[in-house]
Amino acid sequence: MDRIASFTINHLDLMPGLYVSRRDAKGDCVTTTFDLRITAPNREPVVDTPALHTIEHLAATYLRNSEKKDDVIYFGPMGCRTGFYLLLAGDYTSKDIVPLMIRMFEFIRDFKGEVPGASPKDCGNYLDMNLGMANYLANRYLENTLYHIDEKHLVYPE
C-alpha cells in the first residue's frame, strides 16, 4: 500500500504552525488542505476532546460566515488531537490564509455565550463542550504562533 502523505512528515520536528498539507487537482479544480497544528506532536499535551469539539463548532461557524465561505469544503479535528484540517477550494499557500486564521482564532478566543450548534437537536454529542479551554487554546495559538508566524511555521520541516 502507498504511504499516506501526512505520515511522511517527521512529527518529532513538527511545531505548531499553519501548513499546506496537500493540494489535490481534479480537472481545473484544486483543493488545498491545511494543517492547523495547535500543539507540538508527541511533546505537548493533545487538545482535550471537549475543547477540540468546541473549537470545531466555532471555527466552522466562523468560516461558513466569512469572506471565504464559498471556498470552504471542510473544517475538522485531526484524529491525533494536535490540530485541525481546513480544506479550501482553490490553490492557496499558507501565507494566503494567515489573516483569515487570525480573525477566526480571535473570534474563538473572544467568544462568550452559547456555542453554535451545541444542542441535542443540532449535535450528536452536544454536552461534550469546553468553551473556556477553547478560548484559552485559541489565545495560545494566536500569541505563540499566528501573530508572529514565520517560514519555519508555514512550511513543513524537511
Side-chain angles (χ1 to χ4, degrees), residues 46-56 77 81 125 128-130:
V46 299
V47 179
D48 72 303
T49 305
L52 196 77
H53 190 200
T54 306
I55 292 170
E56 176 193 15
R81 298 186 355 233
N125 196 9
D128 193 30
M129 297 279 174
N130 186 337

Side-chain angles (χ1 to χ4, degrees), residues 3 5 13 33 43 69 77 79 81 92 94 99 113 116 120 131-132 136 147:
R3 199 160 175 220
D13 295 332
T33 300
R43 296 179 307 285
K69 67 183 176 186
R81 298 186 355 233
Y92 293 97
S94 295
L131 180 57
Y136 168 82
Y147 282 151

Side-chain angles (χ1 to χ4, degrees), residues 14-113:
L14 189 58
M15 298 301 296
L18 173 58
Y19 307 100
V20 169
S21 175
R22 58 186 292 152
R23 288 184 184 88
D24 296 289
K26 193 76 158 172
D28 291 341
C29 299
V30 175
T31 299
T32 306
T33 300
F34 294 96
D35 171 336
L36 285 67
R37 194 64 60 152
I38 306 296
T39 65
N42 304 307
R43 296 179 307 285
E44 292 182 320
V46 299
V47 179
D48 72 303
T49 305
L52 196 77
H53 190 200
T54 306
I55 292 170
E56 176 193 15
H57 275 239
L58 293 172
T61 298
Y62 180 85
L63 289 167
R64 288 185 172 89
N65 287 281
S66 75
E67 70 276 10
K68 290 287 187 204
K69 67 183 176 186
D70 293 334
D71 292 341
V72 174
I73 296 171
Y74 173 78
F75 179 87
M78 296 176 177
C80 63
R81 298 186 355 233
T82 61
F84 297 86
Y85 286 117
L86 168 62
L87 280 69
L88 293 178
D91 189 1
Y92 293 97
T93 68
S94 295
K95 263 187 196 170
D96 292 336
I97 68 160
V98 168
L100 176 66
M101 292 298 94
I102 287 174
R103 291 189 304 275
M104 182 180 85
F105 278 95
E106 287 173 340
F107 171 78
I108 296 167
R109 177 197 63 198
D110 298 339
F111 191 87
K112 303 293 179 231

